[in-house]
Amino acid sequence: PGGSSGGSTEPVSTTAPTTTTVTSTDGKASLAGTDTAGAGLLAVAAQGTTPAGWAFAGNAYAVTPANRTFDPAVVLSFTLPSAGATATIARLENGAWSPVPSKVEGDRITTEVSRAGTYALLVPAEAPTTTTVTTTTAAPVTTTPTAAPLTALLPVIAFATLMLERKRRG
């Protein structure tokens, strides 16, 4: 009669895993999640071929170490150039950047990542501006001396003289 019920007598943990955040030294990129221990974010020069119509918005960031995986995935976040700006996050693969699903939230853009790599914030490329410069040859400028102020009054003086002469005759 004294059999075991087969159940565990150890208490069940009800503590949720703690989310931690790793931030780049310039504060523009961060990595948040429950599996970020030992991960880093290093600013690197943005290089490679961007997708057509897109340009880099600052540095790229290497999630380190290079062979690191995240389970569960962590959230990679970038500060946007301005709140609500059009942007996307891209991952460097074989020298070319590929956009990854990302979401704009206020002044940040986020994506979930499950492995290390190099990521960058891309913004729409500005259309090249063409500036047209028109060169004209200046014609010679002819100047005439300014007339004395009395010259403008000559017709008035002549009219007044005629009127006085007429009045005297009449």
Side-chain angles (χ1 to χ4, degrees), residues 22 38 42 45 47 54 60 69 83-85 103 107 117 120 122 126 135 138 153 155 160 164 169:
V22 176
L42 300 176
Q47 302 178 44
W54 293 94
T69 59
K103 177 171 55 169
D107 67 343
L122 301 181
E126 292 184 21
T135 307
L153 293 175
L164 284 172
R169 284 187 190 169

Side-chain angles (χ1 to χ4, degrees), residues 19 23 25 29 37 53 56 103-104 120 125 143:
T19 298
T23 304
T25 56
F56 294 110
K103 177 171 55 169
V104 172
T143 58

